[in-house]
Amino acid sequence: MTETSPARKCLRFGWAAVLVFACLGLLLESLHLVKLPLYMEAQIRRELWTLAHAHGTLLGLVNVVFGLYGSQLTATAAHRASAALRTAAVLMPAGFFLGGIGNPETDPSLAIVLVPIGALLLITAAAIAAFSAWQPADAATGPDKRDRKVLQK
């Protein structure tokens, strides 16, 4: 695993995301402890920020798992799935968090549109990884077509 490999990128990103979103969870618990009106008076804000914390932590762990096993995929699949997975891990929690800022009493703000975009990227990453995992084992460990072109030059 090189420093710039997709698996390594996901591993670094995943642990950083777990750190950030675990701290966000601690912050949310602190806001609840001091009964901060900004946090306590808007139920939808509390729910959206809790969803941001939960999704960010979970997607961070998914990135860590991909970082550990992503090298088993073809190089092209690992690169594409890694990029989609990392982007999804940013968009989904950001959509939930920003959806709780500047929102009316009952509806999230417009930033909530980031959540389905992130969900589509997550599904895309899972589909790429699944299709690549079903390839014969020599296809996953050997050079893929793009790598072969580089080797032939």
Side-chain angles (χ1 to χ4, degrees):
M1 183 181 330
T2 64
E3 285 296 315
T4 59
S5 71
R8 180 78 177 157
K9 288 178 183 176
C10 274
L11 200 57
R12 284 191 302 238
F13 179 87
W15 281 119
V18 169
L19 173 67
V20 167
F21 290 107
C23 289
L24 177 63
L26 184 62
L27 175 68
L28 294 178
E29 288 298 321
S30 300
L31 294 177
H32 200 271
L33 177 71
V34 297
K35 307 287 187 214
L36 188 70
L38 170 75
Y39 183 63
M40 297 302 293
E41 292 175 357
Q43 180 179 356
I44 193 165
R45 178 173 298 135
R46 281 197 320 270
E47 292 173 359
L48 289 171
W49 287 5
T50 301
L51 285 170
H53 154 66
H55 280 80
T57 304
L58 179 64
L59 290 172
L61 291 174
V62 170
N63 270 280
V64 169
V65 170
F66 185 88
L68 294 175
Y69 296 105
S71 61
Q72 303 296 315
L73 306 176
T74 63
T76 302
H79 177 74
R80 290 179 181 162
S82 167
L85 192 57
R86 284 180 282 129
T87 305
V90 170
L91 292 181
M92 289 182 72
F96 282 123
F97 187 79
L98 296 174
I101 297 175
N103 58 316
E105 184 67 29
T106 57
D107 294 324
S109 68
L110 187 59
I112 199 73
V113 298
L114 296 175
V115 174
I117 296 169
L120 288 174
L121 287 170
L122 177 63
I123 291 168
T124 300
I128 291 169
F131 285 124
S132 181
W134 279 97
Q135 298 295 316
D138 58 337
T141 57
D144 64 4
K145 292 178 183 176
R146 187 176 64 183
D147 295 336
R148 287 187 193 130
K149 288 180 182 176
V150 172
L151 293 175
Q152 292 173 351
K153 290 183 180 179

